[in-house]
Amino acid sequence: MVTDLQALWRAHPPGVEVGEAALDADLLSCLDEGDGVADHYGGRTGFVFLEQRGDRSLVVERRGSGVWGWNAINLTGGYGTGILGAQLAGLGPALQHALSRCSTTNDEFQSVERRRLADTVKTLVARHTGSDPSDWELTFTSTGTEANDLALQLAYVDDFDLASGMHAAPDKDVVLCCHGAWHGWGLHTAQALDRRHFTDGLPRLSERRFVFMRYGDERELERAFAEHGGRIRAVLVEGVLGDGGVVVAPDAWWTRLRQLCDAHGATLIDDEILTWLRCGGPLALPRGISPDCLTIGKSLGLSLFPLSAVAWRRDRLKIRPGLGVRTFNARPFQAAVVSEALQRIEGDGMFTRAAEVGDRFRARLTSLAGDFPGIVRDVRGKGLFIGMELAGGFARKGHFMRDALLRGGVMSEVESGTINRRLAKEDRINETIRLTPPLTIPEQELDEALVRIHRVFMALSSSDATTGAGHALPV
């Protein structure tokens, strides 16, 4: 038993017991009663995160009458927001400068800092899509939900005349989405989800029909356009299908999708909220493919701010006054810090590094998973955006696996997979463990993460792990 929390940095997973005399009242209360936020997940975890050093976090958990603590390699950064990992501290001077110099004006007024950030984002998007920065219009929002909500609004009002109150093409009432996709928690964006747990009991948009297809499947894509044709107003897809199981669509699918949208006059919206900056480039979709509208977020805020953005092609969509207004729209302070980070990410070659390091890490994960076919069904991903699809008795035990990995010293997150009963069984995707390491993570940390994952898998394979009985790792 340790009496000094700092000793936990030297503790090997699954941890050592901590004497309660070392815990202050707030920490004890957090362990026993939670942090005061409603249990909106229907099962928040009992783990408490204390502090971070480098790319590791200090974790404590109450087990029975005792408290245990250990360090965990952070391979998520909190929903993938921690893009810079330990190098976030390097933004200290920029942060201090912004605190002392930046105004607190809103977006009704112009800001040099906001201009610089907008120019940087447009340039990154243009290089990836084979366009020019001047082709793009852009505005900032707080959350990814807000960004996708605005993107859909842009598509809805594209042919609407405010004076007459009429659409030029009123029959365009279909929004084409993908099974297993996730586009936000809001009432509007929930329309684009095909999971009853998140949609039942909520009202539907009576003037819009949301139709679902299988992500990355060219035959399904052709079928959807053949069936709905000119009625498709917008297609909302992710750069990589995230919550549906970390699925990377073939380049040919993207090319055909762009062709069909052009042929049928449909607005192509690319949701890059989760994948922005992570997949070996600014965006996850293939280079040279230019959507009509795209949304970015999560890592844009560097784990410091809730910050997202919507960008659209000037020649394809127009903003209507009032639609894009948000309370927090890249305040000058935020814009200055994020601009500095984006300059470092590009200037230090982090996109190339993400592609190379991600390929090596994913290959090693695939090799490791091959030794445990009863635990992992497949390893997929692009750059440093990686998923391990669970197998067999673990197929619906994602949260159990996440907790086991955390007790084994690796922080991960759970993707729900694609389990819709309208899909053939062979097309369904099991729950998937998502790993989104920082772009800056040392490869030695990834080496250690592989050792820890292997140790957890060994323990799980030698016990009745699917029920939690006889588990070699403390639960």
Side-chain angles (χ1 to χ4, degrees):
M1 182 180 294
V2 300
T3 57
D4 179 7
L5 288 178
Q6 297 308 305
L8 298 180
W9 286 111
R10 301 185 297 275
H12 294 289
V16 296
E17 192 169 5
V18 183
E20 294 207 12
L23 310 178
D24 64 28
D26 285 341
L27 177 51
L28 282 170
S29 176
C30 202
L31 284 165
D32 294 334
E33 302 172 15
D35 57 15
V37 175
D39 186 7
H40 47 290
Y41 284 94
R44 295 183 72 203
T45 77
F47 301 103
V48 177
F49 282 69
L50 297 181
E51 61 180 84
Q52 184 156 324
R53 291 184 185 177
D55 293 303
R56 299 194 184 195
S57 295
L58 203 61
V59 188
V60 293
E61 177 191 22
R62 182 174 290 287
R63 298 179 191 158
S65 60
V67 175
W68 291 69
W70 64 98
N71 69 81
I73 301 172
N74 193 331
L75 296 190
T76 71
Y79 295 128
T81 60
I83 200 79
L84 286 178
Q87 291 191 25
L88 186 65
L91 295 178
L95 196 67
Q96 185 59 47
H97 180 78
L99 279 171
S100 62
R101 296 289 299 275
C102 287
S103 70
T104 55
T105 183
N106 60 34
D107 63 315
E108 292 180 44
F109 308 99
Q110 310 299 324
S111 159
V112 172
E113 293 87 357
R114 194 181 292 121
R115 169 62 185 259
R116 288 171 180 159
L117 178 57
D119 284 349
T120 299
V121 172
K122 290 177 187 178
T123 299
L124 289 171
V125 167
R127 288 176 184 169
H128 193 103
T129 58
S131 56
D132 189 89
S134 63
D135 294 336
W136 295 90
E137 190 74 79
L138 176 147
T139 191
F140 295 100
T141 62
S142 294
T143 67
T145 297
E146 283 187 339
N148 284 327
D149 181 83
L150 176 56
L152 287 168
Q153 289 182 45
L154 289 173
Y156 294 162
V157 302
D158 180 42
D159 66 339
F160 183 78
D161 180 69
L162 197 59
S164 66
M166 300 290 291
H167 280 283
D171 293 336
K172 281 184 171 289
D173 61 345
V174 171
V175 178
L176 186 58
C177 308
C178 292
H179 292 295
W182 186 269
H183 299 292
W185 297 94
L187 181 60
H188 184 193
T189 53
Q191 315 281 313
L193 309 181
D194 67 339
R195 281 164 281 180
R196 295 180 56 193
H197 180 75
F198 298 106
T199 60
D200 277 15
L202 300 178
R204 306 296 294 179
L205 291 176
S206 60
E207 296 180 357
R208 291 289 174 263
R209 182 183 175 195
F210 287 77
V211 174
F212 296 89
M213 64 179 175
R214 187 169 173 238
Y215 182 85
D217 187 320
E218 196 166 337
R219 286 184 299 178
E220 283 239 333
L221 178 64
E222 297 281 0
R223 178 198 57 76
F225 272 89
E227 181 177 346
H228 301 286
R231 291 181 58 192
I232 299 177
R233 175 169 291 275
V235 182
L236 176 58
V237 295
E238 293 175 89
V240 170
L241 185 69
D243 200 50
V246 188
V247 180
V248 180
D251 288 4
W253 182 82
W254 280 103
T255 299
R256 187 58 180 148
L257 174 59
R258 179 69 271 178
Q259 292 171 346
L260 288 168
C261 285
D262 288 339
H264 291 267
T267 298
L268 175 55
I269 303 171
D270 174 28
D271 176 355
E272 299 268 355
I273 298 295
L274 191 55
T275 49
W276 167 250
L277 304 178
R278 290 201 163 276
C279 298
L283 305 173
L285 86 168
R287 290 184 181 274
I289 301 289
S290 183
D292 303 309
C293 182
L294 62 90
T295 56
I296 60 177
K298 290 196 186 295
S299 59
L300 183 66
L302 311 173
S303 78
L304 296 175
F305 320 110
L307 183 62
S308 299
V310 184
W312 60 94
R313 293 289 299 257
R314 293 176 185 268
D315 59 339
R316 299 173 186 170
L317 292 171
K318 298 290 188 292
I319 188 74
R320 191 171 81 193
L323 282 187
V325 176
R326 300 295 187 271
T327 301
F328 290 97
N329 195 317
R331 292 294 175 88
F333 168 69
Q334 296 172 302
V337 177
V338 174
S339 291
E340 173 71 17
L342 291 179
Q343 297 293 340
R344 292 189 182 201
I345 287 171
E346 187 174 31
D348 292 349
M350 291 188 195
F351 293 138
T352 300
R353 184 180 190 275
E356 295 173 350
V357 172
D359 284 349
R360 287 194 290 270
F361 184 52
R362 195 166 60 253
R364 295 181 66 190
L365 272 175
T366 300
S367 177
L368 185 156
D371 294 331
F372 301 94
I375 297 176
V376 179
R377 181 182 182 185
D378 193 17
V379 176
R380 297 182 292 268
K382 189 172 187 179
L384 286 170
F385 187 82
I386 300 168
M388 295 190 297
E389 183 185 352
L390 300 176
F394 294 94
R396 296 291 174 263
K397 299 288 183 180
H399 291 88
F400 171 87
M401 179 63 76
R402 176 204 61 195
D403 293 354
L405 285 168
L406 183 53
R407 294 186 182 105
V410 175
M411 185 180 175
S412 63
E413 288 172 337
V414 182
E415 303 282 32
S416 298
T418 307
I419 57 174
N420 194 293
R421 287 183 172 85
R422 286 175 288 179
L423 292 172
K425 286 186 177 181
E426 62 271 18
D427 293 333
R428 297 174 192 172
I429 298 172
N430 297 332
E431 291 183 7
T432 300
I433 297 297
R434 188 182 78 211
L435 305 173
T436 52
L439 301 183
T440 56
I441 192 167
E443 289 200 66
Q444 302 95 298
E445 287 287 65
L446 294 178
D447 293 342
E448 175 61 21
L450 285 164
V451 170
R452 295 182 176 194
I453 292 171
H454 184 270
R455 188 180 300 134
V456 171
F457 285 0
M458 285 291 291
L460 294 176
S461 63
S462 62
S463 63
D464 187 9
T466 58
T467 64
H471 203 294
L473 296 169
V475 295

